[in-house]
């Protein structure tokens, strides 16, 4: 499915992302990080100890509050993803969920390239 949003991935959500948001609404209360997460129209907002992060439901891109700085977190590999039959875009729901756990525990991140961006 083509991305009908803006080139940076932060435009309107495609239908698959809306389905993803509905699935997240059912999954989030069951997660250990549920108290740190808020589901919004286009983002999963995750509260860390250092910052708050917005994960785009369409692209999986992460913005950090307060200035919407981009944070690049790359999933380790296909082995870390869970196949979900309704996901057409290579398991984006799995990617979003895996990305949510890292910023929820941002004080425990040890990767220097990530901590450098978080602490700017």
């Amino acid at each position: 499915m083509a991305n009908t949003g803006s080139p940076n991935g932060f435009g309107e959500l495609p239908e698959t992302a809306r389905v993803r948001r509905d699935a997240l609404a059912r999954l989030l209360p069951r997660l250990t990080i549920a108290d740190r997460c808020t589901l919004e129209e286009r983002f999963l907002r995750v509260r860390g100890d250092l910052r708050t992060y917005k994960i785009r439901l369409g692209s999986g891109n992460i913005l950090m509050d307060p200035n919407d700085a981009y944070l690049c977190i790359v999933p380790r590999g296909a082995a870390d993803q869970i196949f979900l039959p309704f996901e057409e875009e290579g398991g984006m729901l799995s990617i979003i969920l895996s990305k949510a756990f890292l910023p929820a525990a941002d004080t425990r991140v040890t990767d220097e390239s990530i901590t450098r961006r978080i602490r700017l």
Side-chain angles (χ1 to χ4, degrees), residues 62-87:
I62 302 174
L63 296 177
M64 299 182 290
D65 283 345
N67 58 355
D68 282 350
Y70 177 73
L71 177 64
C72 181
I73 298 175
V74 180
R76 282 185 269 164
D80 294 335
Q81 296 179 11
I82 300 169
F83 173 75
L84 301 170
F86 57 86
E87 283 283 293

Side-chain angles (χ1 to χ4, degrees), residues 26-90:
R26 292 188 300 266
L27 288 170
L28 281 174
R30 299 179 177 123
L31 299 178
T32 58
I33 60 170
D35 63 330
R36 292 184 167 265
C37 296
T38 305
L39 193 56
E40 298 176 350
E41 182 65 25
R42 297 182 305 161
F43 296 95
L44 172 61
R45 184 177 293 271
V46 180
R47 181 182 42 82
D49 291 321
L50 302 174
R51 287 191 184 228
T52 298
Y53 307 83
K54 297 184 297 189
I55 304 172
R56 169 92 167 126
L57 299 177
S59 65
N61 289 336
I62 302 174
L63 296 177
M64 299 182 290
D65 283 345
N67 58 355
D68 282 350
Y70 177 73
L71 177 64
C72 181
I73 298 175
V74 180
R76 282 185 269 164
D80 294 335
Q81 296 179 11
I82 300 169
F83 173 75
L84 301 170
F86 57 86
E87 283 283 293
E88 299 174 1
E89 300 169 3

Side-chain angles (χ1 to χ4, degrees), residues 15-34:
E15 182 60 30
T16 54
R18 290 187 212 125
V19 171
R20 191 174 300 125
R21 183 182 56 228
D22 294 343
L24 277 168
R26 292 188 300 266
L27 288 170
L28 281 174
R30 299 179 177 123
L31 299 178
T32 58
I33 60 170

